[in-house]
Amino acid sequence: TGLSRPQRMLKAVQKNATKGDPQSVIAAIDYYCRHKEWAMNVGDDKGPILDSVVSEVNPSTALELGTYCGYSTVRIARLLSPGSKLITVEFNPAYAAVARQIIAHAGLQNKVTLVEGGSGDLIPKIKEQFGITSFDFVFLDHWKDRYLPDIKLLEDCGLLKKGSVLLADNVICPGTPEYLEYVRNSPRYKSQYFQSYLEYTKAEDGLEKSVFLG
Ligand SMILES: Oc1cc(-c2ccc(F)cc2)cc2nccnc12
Ligand SMILES: [Mg+2]
Protein backbone atom coordinates (compact mmCIF):
# COMPACT_ATOMS: atom_id res chain seq x y z
CA THR A 1 0.00 0.00 0.00
CA GLY A 2 2.94 2.29 -0.60
CA LEU A 3 4.42 4.86 1.79
CA SER A 4 2.97 5.76 5.18
CA ARG A 5 2.03 9.35 6.09
CA PRO A 6 5.26 9.78 8.11
CA GLN A 7 7.27 8.43 5.16
CA ARG A 8 5.54 10.86 2.79
CA MET A 9 6.38 13.68 5.23
CA LEU A 10 10.03 12.53 5.29
CA LYS A 11 10.14 12.62 1.48
CA ALA A 12 8.81 16.19 1.51
CA VAL A 13 11.58 17.17 3.97
CA GLN A 14 14.30 15.48 1.88
CA LYS A 15 12.99 17.22 -1.26
CA ASN A 16 12.29 20.71 0.12
CA ALA A 17 14.53 21.30 3.13
CA THR A 18 18.25 22.14 3.19
CA LYS A 19 20.45 19.63 5.02
CA GLY A 20 21.72 21.09 8.29
CA ASP A 21 19.10 23.87 8.29
CA PRO A 22 16.51 23.21 11.05
CA GLN A 23 14.34 26.19 10.05
CA SER A 24 13.94 24.81 6.52
CA VAL A 25 12.97 21.39 7.95
CA ILE A 26 10.31 23.04 10.15
CA ALA A 27 9.01 25.09 7.20
CA ALA A 28 8.91 22.06 4.88
CA ILE A 29 6.87 20.03 7.38
CA ASP A 30 4.48 22.90 8.11
CA TYR A 31 3.95 23.53 4.37
CA TYR A 32 3.33 19.82 3.71
CA CYS A 33 0.90 19.40 6.63
CA ARG A 34 -1.00 22.61 5.91
CA HIS A 35 -1.31 22.16 2.12
CA LYS A 36 -0.95 18.42 1.41
CA GLU A 37 -2.01 16.27 4.38
CA TRP A 38 -2.62 16.97 8.04
CA ALA A 39 -0.35 15.37 10.65
CA MET A 40 -0.12 15.64 14.44
CA ASN A 41 2.94 17.91 14.72
CA VAL A 42 2.74 20.68 17.33
CA GLY A 43 2.71 22.93 14.26
CA ASP A 44 3.27 26.61 13.43
CA ASP A 45 0.62 28.13 15.74
CA LYS A 46 1.67 26.36 18.97
CA GLY A 47 5.32 26.01 17.81
CA PRO A 48 6.33 29.62 18.59
CA ILE A 49 4.90 29.22 22.11
CA LEU A 50 7.04 26.07 22.54
CA ASP A 51 10.03 28.04 21.21
CA SER A 52 9.50 30.90 23.68
CA VAL A 53 9.26 28.57 26.69
CA VAL A 54 12.36 26.59 25.61
CA SER A 55 14.32 29.82 25.04
CA GLU A 56 13.24 31.18 28.45
CA VAL A 57 14.23 27.95 30.27
CA ASN A 58 17.38 27.38 28.17
CA PRO A 59 17.52 23.79 29.47
CA SER A 60 20.76 21.83 29.92
CA THR A 61 18.67 18.65 30.07
CA ALA A 62 15.35 18.29 28.25
CA LEU A 63 12.91 15.40 27.84
CA GLU A 64 10.27 14.99 25.13
CA LEU A 65 7.55 12.36 25.53
CA GLY A 66 6.17 11.56 22.07
CA THR A 67 8.59 12.11 19.18
CA TYR A 68 6.26 11.20 16.28
CA CYS A 69 8.21 12.43 13.19
CA GLY A 70 10.59 14.70 15.11
CA TYR A 71 9.05 18.09 14.28
CA SER A 72 9.00 19.34 17.88
CA THR A 73 12.30 17.54 18.52
CA VAL A 74 13.86 19.78 15.84
CA ARG A 75 12.07 22.87 17.23
CA ILE A 76 13.47 22.21 20.71
CA ALA A 77 16.97 20.98 19.76
CA ARG A 78 17.69 23.94 17.44
CA LEU A 79 17.33 26.26 20.45
CA LEU A 80 19.58 24.30 22.86
CA SER A 81 22.93 25.74 23.97
CA PRO A 82 26.11 23.78 23.11
CA GLY A 83 26.52 20.75 25.39
CA SER A 84 22.79 20.57 26.26
CA LYS A 85 20.94 17.32 25.61
CA LEU A 86 17.41 16.39 24.56
CA ILE A 87 16.10 12.87 25.20
CA THR A 88 13.02 12.04 23.14
CA VAL A 89 10.87 8.96 23.73
CA GLU A 90 8.79 7.25 21.02
CA PHE A 91 6.73 4.07 21.43
CA ASN A 92 6.07 3.45 17.70
CA PRO A 93 9.16 2.07 15.84
CA ALA A 94 7.91 3.25 12.42
CA TYR A 95 7.54 6.81 13.75
CA ALA A 96 11.00 6.57 15.40
CA ALA A 97 12.62 5.46 12.12
CA VAL A 98 11.24 8.52 10.29
CA ALA A 99 12.09 10.85 13.18
CA ARG A 100 15.75 9.78 13.20
CA GLN A 101 16.03 10.73 9.52
CA ILE A 102 14.27 14.07 9.95
CA ILE A 103 16.42 14.96 12.99
CA ALA A 104 19.53 13.99 10.96
CA HIS A 105 18.38 16.10 7.98
CA ALA A 106 18.24 19.07 10.36
CA GLY A 107 21.80 18.24 11.52
CA LEU A 108 20.70 17.96 15.16
CA GLN A 109 21.50 14.29 15.81
CA ASN A 110 24.37 15.17 18.18
CA LYS A 111 22.01 17.07 20.52
CA VAL A 112 19.25 14.45 20.50
CA THR A 113 18.98 10.93 21.90
CA LEU A 114 15.90 9.13 20.56
CA VAL A 115 14.83 6.20 22.74
CA GLU A 116 12.27 3.69 21.48
CA GLY A 117 9.83 2.31 24.00
CA GLY A 118 7.03 3.19 26.39
CA SER A 119 7.55 6.27 28.57
CA GLY A 120 6.31 4.36 31.63
CA ASP A 121 9.02 1.74 31.15
CA LEU A 122 11.83 4.13 30.16
CA ILE A 123 11.47 6.95 32.71
CA PRO A 124 12.65 4.80 35.66
CA LYS A 125 15.78 3.82 33.66
CA ILE A 126 16.84 7.32 32.58
CA LYS A 127 19.07 8.09 35.57
CA GLU A 128 21.19 4.95 35.22
CA GLN A 129 21.20 4.85 31.41
CA PHE A 130 21.95 8.51 30.72
CA GLY A 131 23.47 9.76 33.98
CA ILE A 132 20.84 12.48 34.20
CA THR A 133 19.86 13.60 37.71
CA SER A 134 16.99 15.90 36.72
CA PHE A 135 15.28 17.58 33.75
CA ASP A 136 15.08 21.36 33.39
CA PHE A 137 12.35 21.02 30.74
CA VAL A 138 9.80 18.32 29.79
CA PHE A 139 7.54 18.48 26.70
CA LEU A 140 4.52 16.16 26.96
CA ASP A 141 3.09 15.29 23.56
CA HIS A 142 2.31 11.56 23.62
CA TRP A 143 -0.87 9.66 24.54
CA LYS A 144 -3.08 11.89 26.64
CA ASP A 145 -3.84 9.24 29.26
CA ARG A 146 -0.09 8.95 29.96
CA TYR A 147 0.46 12.61 30.88
CA LEU A 148 -0.57 12.32 34.55
CA PRO A 149 1.00 8.93 35.35
CA ASP A 150 4.23 10.00 33.67
CA ILE A 151 4.69 13.23 35.62
CA LYS A 152 3.97 11.35 38.85
CA LEU A 153 6.64 8.87 37.72
CA LEU A 154 9.07 11.74 37.02
CA GLU A 155 8.37 13.09 40.54
CA ASP A 156 8.82 9.67 42.17
CA CYS A 157 12.07 9.01 40.27
CA GLY A 158 13.46 12.34 41.48
CA LEU A 159 13.80 13.58 37.90
CA LEU A 160 12.19 16.97 38.61
CA LYS A 161 13.77 19.71 40.68
CA LYS A 162 12.54 23.10 41.97
CA GLY A 163 12.02 25.19 38.83
CA SER A 164 11.68 22.31 36.36
CA VAL A 165 9.24 23.35 33.61
CA LEU A 166 6.63 21.01 32.11
CA LEU A 167 4.93 22.02 28.85
CA ALA A 168 1.98 19.89 27.72
CA ASP A 169 0.48 19.84 24.21
CA ASN A 170 -3.20 19.14 23.41
CA VAL A 171 -4.66 20.04 26.76
CA ILE A 172 -7.90 21.05 24.96
CA CYS A 173 -7.87 18.90 21.82
CA PRO A 174 -7.84 15.91 22.19
CA GLY A 175 -7.78 17.07 25.85
CA THR A 176 -6.13 15.94 29.07
CA PRO A 177 -8.68 16.73 31.82
CA GLU A 178 -7.15 14.65 34.62
CA TYR A 179 -3.68 16.09 33.95
CA LEU A 180 -5.01 19.68 33.90
CA GLU A 181 -6.95 19.17 37.12
CA TYR A 182 -3.82 17.83 38.81
CA VAL A 183 -1.30 20.49 37.76
CA ARG A 184 -3.79 23.34 38.26
CA ASN A 185 -4.76 22.25 41.80
CA SER A 186 -1.54 20.72 43.15
CA PRO A 187 0.43 22.94 45.57
CA ARG A 188 3.55 21.50 43.93
CA TYR A 189 2.97 23.26 40.58
CA LYS A 190 2.42 26.79 39.33
CA SER A 191 0.40 26.35 36.12
CA GLN A 192 -0.41 28.66 33.19
CA TYR A 193 -2.49 28.10 30.02
CA PHE A 194 -1.40 29.38 26.60
CA GLN A 195 -4.40 29.44 24.26
CA SER A 196 -3.73 28.58 20.64
CA TYR A 197 -5.05 26.35 17.85
CA LEU A 198 -4.92 22.68 16.98
CA GLU A 199 -2.13 22.33 14.43
CA TYR A 200 -3.07 23.46 10.88
CA THR A 201 -6.73 24.03 11.89
CA LYS A 202 -9.06 26.69 13.34
CA ALA A 203 -10.04 24.47 16.28
CA GLU A 204 -9.01 25.61 19.76
CA ASP A 205 -6.14 23.90 21.49
CA GLY A 206 -3.43 25.09 23.85
CA LEU A 207 -0.31 24.40 25.85
CA GLU A 208 -0.16 24.17 29.65
CA LYS A 209 3.07 25.35 31.26
CA SER A 210 3.60 24.03 34.79
CA VAL A 211 6.58 24.94 36.99
CA PHE A 212 7.51 22.32 39.60
CA LEU A 213 7.86 24.04 42.99
CA GLY A 214 9.77 21.18 44.68
O1 LIG B 1 -1.17 17.18 18.63
C1 LIG B 1 -1.94 16.05 18.58
C2 LIG B 1 -3.18 16.05 17.97
C3 LIG B 1 -3.94 14.86 17.95
C4 LIG B 1 -5.28 14.88 17.28
C5 LIG B 1 -5.69 13.79 16.50
C6 LIG B 1 -6.92 13.83 15.87
C7 LIG B 1 -7.74 14.96 16.01
F1 LIG B 1 -8.94 14.98 15.38
C8 LIG B 1 -7.34 16.03 16.79
C9 LIG B 1 -6.09 15.99 17.43
C10 LIG B 1 -3.45 13.70 18.53
C11 LIG B 1 -2.19 13.70 19.16
N1 LIG B 1 -1.70 12.55 19.72
C12 LIG B 1 -0.48 12.59 20.30
C13 LIG B 1 0.25 13.77 20.35
N2 LIG B 1 -0.21 14.91 19.81
C14 LIG B 1 -1.42 14.89 19.19
MG1 LIG C 1 0.44 17.05 20.07
Side-chain angles (χ1 to χ4, degrees):
T1 58
L3 298 179
S4 67
R5 182 179 312 215
Q7 288 171 326
R8 293 194 295 269
M9 195 191 306
L10 171 60
K11 269 186 65 183
V13 166
Q14 292 170 332
K15 180 167 180 278
N16 302 312
T18 308
K19 262 182 171 285
D21 175 0
Q23 194 48 47
S24 73
V25 169
I26 293 164
I29 293 172
D30 284 330
Y31 184 88
Y32 185 77
C33 293
R34 193 172 280 282
H35 300 291
K36 306 292 183 207
E37 52 176 338
W38 187 91
M40 60 179 172
N41 314 116
V42 75
D44 50 6
D45 292 308
K46 292 180 285 182
I49 301 167
L50 170 62
D51 291 356
S52 64
V53 175
V54 172
S55 298
E56 169 201 1
V57 176
N58 188 25
S60 300
T61 57
L63 174 66
E64 175 180 60
L65 302 177
T67 315
Y68 185 43
C69 293
Y71 174 89
S72 48
T73 321
V74 168
R75 285 204 83 112
I76 296 165
R78 86 191 201 284
L79 298 174
L80 294 181
S81 301
S84 297
K85 289 297 290 179
L86 170 61
I87 295 179
T88 184
V89 175
E90 179 51 56
F91 177 73
N92 181 315
Y95 293 170
V98 166
R100 288 186 198 285
Q101 295 175 81
I102 287 179
I103 294 159
H105 198 90
L108 293 167
Q109 65 281 358
N110 295 340
K111 290 177 175 286
V112 177
T113 304
L114 195 162
V115 194
E116 289 183 40
S119 51
D121 302 323
L122 292 170
I123 286 169
K125 298 172 183 167
I126 283 173
K127 279 196 184 221
E128 61 179 317
Q129 277 194 0
F130 301 101
I132 284 174
T133 54
S134 67
F135 287 108
D136 303 313
F137 177 79
V138 182
F139 183 52
L140 297 100
D141 191 23
H142 54 335
W143 298 132
K144 310 314 155 195
D145 57 9
R146 287 296 321 171
Y147 282 27
L148 185 51
D150 283 347
I151 67 161
K152 288 185 171 175
L153 199 49
L154 287 165
E155 289 173 21
D156 297 345
C157 295
L159 282 165
L160 300 180
K161 68 181 180 190
K162 186 172 172 18
S164 291
V165 172
L166 308 178
L167 189 66
D169 191 26
N170 309 118
V171 297
I172 304 300
C173 178
T176 61
E178 298 86 2
Y179 174 81
L180 278 187
E181 202 274 335
Y182 180 78
V183 290
R184 290 177 174 175
N185 298 301
S186 166
R188 305 189 74 184
Y189 292 93
K190 176 83 187 94
S191 218
Q192 178 184 7
Y193 176 59
F194 293 83
Q195 182 171 34
S196 187
Y197 299 93
L198 176 68
E199 48 267 29
Y200 317 116
T201 78
K202 292 186 164 68
E204 183 187 348
D205 190 20
L207 301 171
E208 188 83 1
K209 176 191 173 188
S210 307
V211 183
F212 186 60
L213 303 174

